[in-house]
Amino acid sequence: LLDLDWVEEADNKDGDILGKKTFYKVAQRTRGAFAGYSAPNDFCCDVNHGRGHTSDLQLCCIGSGTRGLFMGWSNIITEDKGTVRVNLLLSRGSRLLDVSSYLPHEGRLELKIHQDI
């Protein structure tokens, strides 16, 4: 969640319900969060009787989203018994090789090999 122009918020806590609801600087406090129960093309699932919470953040998604990013990043390049694999076409450096990805702007990927693999 990076683009927060659509988020309605307040500069004070007058409309908040302690422990249940807040409107106070919501956009500033949620930048970088991950969606729980989001729809494919929208941050919130706001249909009647939707998939649970319809317009809020769950703390499990913040931790799980961050963990997912780490797991993806740490497995861009893997090595097992002398076999080196590039699993995701994202830029990443390692002791074995550096991957420079130009996607999605160019259909190009460069590998800079540091040792005999």
Side-chain angles (χ1 to χ4, degrees), residues 50-109:
R51 294 169 281 185
H53 306 283
T54 59
S55 60
D56 59 357
L57 298 172
Q58 293 81 45
L59 295 178
C60 59
C61 298
I62 293 171
S64 297
T66 304
R67 178 71 180 173
L69 288 174
F70 169 75
M71 290 176 69
W73 177 83
S74 63
N75 286 289
I76 290 171
I77 301 167
T78 56
E79 186 267 332
D80 182 40
K81 299 176 187 167
T83 299
V84 178
R85 290 186 170 87
V86 176
N87 301 302
L88 294 170
L89 303 180
L90 301 172
S91 297
R92 170 90 201 278
S94 77
R95 64 178 175 78
L96 301 168
L97 63 104
D98 293 339
V99 178
S100 296
S101 176
Y102 295 83
L103 300 172
H105 307 290
E106 294 180 46
R108 188 171 102 199
L109 187 77

Side-chain angles (χ1 to χ4, degrees), residues 93-98 112-117:
S94 77
R95 64 178 175 78
L96 301 168
L97 63 104
D98 293 339
K112 182 177 180 183
I113 311 298
H114 298 304
Q115 55 185 322
D116 186 17
I117 51 175

Side-chain angles (χ1 to χ4, degrees), residues 7-17 21-27 29:
V7 175
E8 294 179 23
E9 62 182 355
D11 289 330
N12 58 56
K13 297 182 179 183
D14 294 345
D16 289 5
I17 301 170
K21 235 181 215 188
T22 184
F23 300 94
Y24 178 67
K25 297 186 179 182
V26 175
R29 297 186 293 137

